[in-house]
Amino acid sequence: MVQLASAPALVVVDMQNGFCHKQGTFAKMGMQCEPTVIVPHINELRSAARAASIPIFFLRAGFNADYSDFRGGGDDKNPLQKMRGFIRGSWDADILDELTPEPDEPIFDKTRNSAFFGTPLEKTLKERGINHLILTGVGTDVCVETTARDAFQMDFDVTTISDATGSTNEPDHLAALHALRRFGGTASTAEVIEALRKR
Amino acid sequence: MLDLKPHPALLIIDMQNGFCHKEGIGIPTANARAIVPQIQRLRTACREHGIPVIYARYGMKPDYSDAGLEFEPEGGAEILALGGFVRGTWDTAILDELTPAPDEVVIDKNRSSMFFGTNLEAVLRDKGVDHVLVTGVASHVCVECTARDAWSHAFWTTTVRDATAASDVALHEASMKNMQCFGGTAGTEEVVEAVGRLKTRS
């Protein structure tokens, strides 16, 4: 059973059209992060978090129209850039309709894999005394895992949700969950909801 | 064929007695020892071309007040009980075969990433480094955290797949696959060949 520390928060990473929608950039590159299973689980976790008064944060990857804030200042040979994907404010960078954040669910914009890199997330979490992150979203092996690795090194307890995260393919998703045992471990949506109900 | 940016640096991560020595402290070390010849080969090639060599050395204060969650995962409690990885002790010393030279930088760290809580980024920028070659242990832990961070900091990143290791080969293989998103991998001989094609730095 999953043990939650005294002050958890739910974090939803990059659940955006560009990664998850069948008309988004990743789908056009043949790499859609299929959201069918993940979205309902994230919404169940959001409801349980609200009921337990646990804060919820969204992360959103996005870049300037000229990609000047992409790592290294952008590269016009990068397929993502050629397709003009994830430009901040565009439909591609928007969070999926089914997960539209509520007014009290802050959205942090990021330009790198980690939710912490160049964002006020660490400061915000520490100011609010949060000591445990419940991680959901995509991609399990890229932005979610980098965020988990960083959170663990920053001394946050971390639990990555096995059925509320996903990647471009199942083997990479499972391999990431395996590696994440070293960085806080994993749990299912149901296990976390049960733990939240008991608080 | 691998192409290096003009100013690479070689990172040698956690090749320390506790992780690598035959006597060790209870962690399996055979796979870590097996990569020593490749790291020596890379180090020799880099030194000949004036490429900086930078070591990471993992270790904690004697009271572990700086250890955070490092000993929470499986196996951590046993290491803590042995008083393992205290800075300045035998476990944390770099293997004799790789003893850093006076002109090689050693970065002390107390987390997985060589960038976390260290001055590595400043050291690399100061040396004008634009490409990091990542070696050492463990593939999926300190090596991968370092590679992910190097990539985010916009360094070109190449992880040397036969110069990194983990005691669990499946975890090593999965990590090398992940590296495709963080600059990719190359073999030792490819890297040595690429170094040979670079203009030697004075």
Side-chain angles (χ1 to χ4, degrees):
Chain A
M1 207 191 69
V2 65
Q3 301 272 51
L4 294 177
S6 58
L10 177 66
V11 179
V12 183
V13 178
D14 296 2
M15 289 300 294
Q16 300 162 257
N17 291 323
F19 292 116
C20 301
H21 195 285
K22 60 181 192 278
Q23 274 139 24
T25 298
F26 264 44
K28 290 181 191 159
M29 299 197 290
M31 299 184 342
Q32 185 192 2
C33 295
E34 234 296 324
T36 314
V37 166
I38 306 173
V39 165
H41 287 150
I42 293 177
N43 279 332
E44 284 168 40
L45 285 162
R46 280 166 88 196
S47 299
R50 289 185 163 285
S53 305
I54 305 292
I56 300 164
F57 298 95
F58 278 78
L59 273 301
R60 182 171 60 193
F63 308 99
N64 292 336
D66 63 358
Y67 294 94
S68 50
D69 53 356
F70 195 84
R71 69 170 284 288
D75 163 14
D76 50 20
K77 294 190 280 298
N78 177 346
L80 194 138
Q81 195 166 323
K82 284 207 276 208
M83 300 182 72
R84 301 199 56 70
F86 296 100
I87 292 175
R88 198 176 301 112
S90 70
W91 173 87
D92 203 57
D94 277 348
I95 290 167
L96 294 175
D97 285 343
E98 306 94 296
L99 294 175
T100 301
E102 297 292 328
D104 64 346
E105 291 171 322
I107 305 171
F108 290 119
D109 285 302
K110 66 183 185 61
T111 62
R112 298 286 189 280
N113 295 326
S114 175
F116 293 98
F117 196 106
T119 77
L121 182 64
E122 185 188 2
K123 181 165 181 289
T124 303
L125 295 173
K126 291 198 164 149
E127 273 169 5
R128 294 180 66 164
I130 289 162
N131 55 16
H132 192 146
L133 302 190
I134 301 164
L135 291 186
T136 66
V138 297
T140 325
D141 51 336
V142 186
C143 296
V144 174
E145 187 170 346
T146 306
T147 300
R149 286 168 179 260
D150 281 354
F152 189 81
Q153 291 177 90
M154 292 171 181
D155 302 347
F156 292 103
D157 279 321
V158 189
T159 306
T160 299
I161 309 305
S162 50
D163 55 357
T165 52
S167 183
T168 59
N169 66 87
E170 188 69 0
D172 286 356
H173 168 70
L174 293 173
L177 294 179
H178 192 65
L180 282 166
R181 293 174 314 158
R182 176 60 181 72
F183 296 97
T186 63
S188 66
T189 299
E191 282 179 277
V192 171
I193 287 175
E194 194 196 334
L196 286 171
R197 283 201 188 123
K198 289 188 168 146
R199 289 174 66 80
Chain B
M1 199 174 68
L2 174 68
D3 287 317
L4 296 177
K5 295 284 179 221
H7 304 116
L10 178 65
L11 305 184
I12 299 178
I13 298 173
D14 297 1
M15 292 301 290
Q16 299 161 259
N17 289 329
F19 291 121
C20 305
H21 197 283
K22 228 172 25 201
E23 272 133 49
I25 57 165
I27 300 170
T29 57
N31 292 352
R33 274 180 284 113
I35 63 173
V36 169
Q38 285 83 278
I39 295 180
Q40 286 171 323
R41 180 140 167 70
L42 288 161
R43 186 182 171 208
T44 302
C46 286
R47 290 188 64 86
E48 275 168 7
H49 286 82
I51 291 170
V53 178
I54 307 173
Y55 289 78
R57 184 169 57 195
Y58 179 76
M60 308 295 162
K61 292 182 175 165
D63 63 358
Y64 294 103
S65 54
D66 57 347
L69 301 175
E70 289 297 293
F71 298 101
E72 295 292 311
E74 199 186 314
E78 288 79 0
I79 297 173
L80 213 51
L82 289 168
F85 290 107
V86 170
R87 206 169 292 134
T89 66
W90 178 86
D91 320 334
T92 59
I94 288 167
L95 286 178
D96 286 343
E97 304 94 295
L98 292 172
T99 300
D103 63 342
E104 289 172 330
V105 178
V106 179
I107 303 248
D108 282 302
K109 66 182 184 67
N110 58 22
R111 294 291 183 278
S112 299
S113 173
M114 208 170 154
F115 287 89
F116 196 94
T118 75
N119 65 343
L120 176 63
E121 193 197 346
V123 166
L124 294 172
R125 304 268 183 227
D126 193 56
K127 293 179 185 293
V129 172
D130 47 22
H131 195 148
V132 296
L133 303 167
V134 191
T135 70
V137 293
S139 314
H140 60 301
V141 187
C142 298
V143 171
E144 188 171 337
C145 279
T146 301
R148 286 174 184 255
D149 283 353
W151 188 251
S152 283
H153 284 294
F155 293 102
W156 220 256
T157 305
T158 303
T159 299
V160 192
R161 69 181 97 86
D162 58 349
T164 59
S167 53
D168 179 331
V169 171
L171 284 168
H172 167 78
E173 297 294 335
S175 179
M176 293 305 108
K177 183 149 189 284
N178 280 344
M179 299 303 193
Q180 301 320 307
C181 298
F182 310 106
T185 63
T188 296
E189 288 313 312
E190 273 185 277
V191 176
V192 168
E193 193 270 332
V195 164
R197 278 185 280 115
L198 282 176
K199 190 168 171 333
T200 300
R201 258 193 129 157
S202 51

